[in-house]
Amino acid sequence: MATLEIGPITMQLNRKAIKNLHISVLPPDGRVRVSAPESMTETAIRMAVISRLPWIKKQQSDFAKQPRQSDREMVSGECHYLWGKRYRLNVVERSGRHEVKIGRGKIHLYVNPGTSLENKALVLSAYCRVGLKARIVSLLEYWQSEMGVEAASWGVKKMKTKWGSCNTEAKRIWLNLELAKKPPECLEYILVHELVHLLERKHSERFKAYMDKFLPDWKERRNLLNRMPLAHNHWVY
């Protein structure tokens, strides 16, 4: 793995067997990753990156402005998000089955006495996963019919740099578990985005035309997603 320095910005440079250069500005701190064709000269890479510097700086500025959650300690009174709404955590220690209940602005987390921070987090994460999958099933049923496409498989997992992904050859879609914390319209936007990749692989004008057709307010939904607080996760690339 190499680095590329342009002005004050140090970028991660990966050479791959690809046709076109690709630049990613990654959350949460705006780290820049450049993927370039193996045959591309460093001068050509530099020229391409320099032409995109205004866009790179805009992305980094947007990340810097986003609110962030502190590390979760899984204690009563702590703030957590579910479907875009802010809740206070209420930890209740009692013997029996671990479970989560929502009510009156609180997430009630029932755990056995002495349950570790990690296991408390796992109980809440499992609750979010079940709820997210239920919504995805409903949305898929509608949107696959509406768009005339069908994913061969789909799943939910924690993803470090993407809200969703689509393997167009396998027709397999993955969605980020963190979407359970965002407003429902954000989940729908990401799902439609990934399904559109089954019609158009690249983020081309044709791709945008499909998004405009199926989800006319997709840009507003994207902006809403980008305004929501970033997760407390320690991001590692």
Side-chain angles (χ1 to χ4, degrees):
M1 186 186 301
T3 57
L4 181 69
E5 292 188 14
I6 296 179
I9 303 176
T10 299
M11 310 174 190
Q12 176 185 324
L13 175 61
N14 298 331
R15 289 188 176 273
K16 298 181 177 181
I18 54 178
K19 293 182 180 179
N20 301 305
L21 180 137
H22 181 72
I23 301 172
S24 300
V25 182
L26 307 171
D29 55 2
R31 178 182 294 191
V32 182
R33 182 174 64 201
V34 179
S35 298
E38 294 170 339
S39 60
M40 196 171 189
T41 66
E42 185 169 329
T43 300
I45 293 171
R46 283 182 171 276
M47 294 299 292
V49 173
I50 287 170
S51 71
R52 300 293 302 281
L53 277 179
W55 176 82
I56 291 171
K57 289 178 179 178
K58 168 78 166 54
Q59 298 299 308
Q60 290 181 324
S61 174
D62 288 346
F63 281 134
K65 292 174 185 173
Q66 270 189 274
R68 286 169 168 74
Q69 287 187 286
S70 59
D71 285 352
R72 304 293 84 185
E73 296 178 8
M74 301 305 294
V75 294
S76 291
E78 191 172 65
C79 170
H80 287 260
Y81 284 86
L82 183 63
W83 300 120
K85 294 181 180 179
R86 193 168 178 262
Y87 292 88
R88 290 289 179 185
L89 185 65
N90 178 37
V91 179
V92 181
E93 290 193 343
R94 55 101 174 98
S95 297
R97 185 167 57 92
H98 289 173
E99 60 182 334
V100 174
K101 293 183 179 179
I102 310 296
R104 296 187 178 183
K106 291 184 178 181
I107 296 175
H108 302 284
L109 176 62
Y110 297 90
V111 293
N112 286 307
T115 299
S116 67
L117 182 156
E118 291 78 9
N119 282 340
K120 289 176 186 175
L122 283 173
V123 174
L124 184 55
S125 178
Y127 176 85
C128 291
R129 185 183 294 272
V130 170
L132 182 62
K133 283 188 170 184
R135 294 202 183 209
I136 292 170
V137 168
S138 177
L139 288 169
L140 271 174
E141 185 177 352
Y142 172 80
W143 281 110
Q144 289 185 143
S145 173
E146 188 77 7
M147 297 168 66
V149 298
E150 188 172 348
S153 63
W154 63 272
V156 169
K157 65 179 177 179
K158 288 187 176 180
M159 303 170 76
K160 292 178 180 177
T161 62
K162 295 178 180 179
W163 290 114
S165 67
C166 178
N167 182 318
T168 54
E169 291 182 5
K171 294 187 176 182
R172 181 173 60 249
I173 288 173
W174 286 103
L175 295 168
N176 195 330
L177 178 59
E178 287 287 310
L179 286 166
K181 300 176 183 178
K182 312 305 176 186
E185 52 266 42
C186 295
L187 167 61
E188 188 170 35
Y189 155 63
I190 294 297
L191 179 62
V192 171
H193 179 112
E194 300 309 334
L195 287 173
V196 168
H197 276 305
L198 298 178
L199 297 169
E200 170 56 42
R201 186 166 173 242
K202 297 182 179 179
H203 292 125
S204 62
E205 291 305 314
R206 184 167 175 255
F207 179 93
K208 293 175 184 176
Y210 275 127
M211 290 298 296
D212 289 338
K213 174 185 175 183
F214 295 120
L215 209 62
D217 65 343
W218 67 272
K219 291 180 182 177
E220 287 80 5
R221 296 181 188 227
R222 180 186 62 188
N223 292 339
L224 174 62
L225 180 58
N226 290 336
R227 286 197 304 270
M228 292 296 294
L230 287 169
H232 54 82
N233 302 46
H234 294 291
W235 298 76
V236 180
Y237 307 108

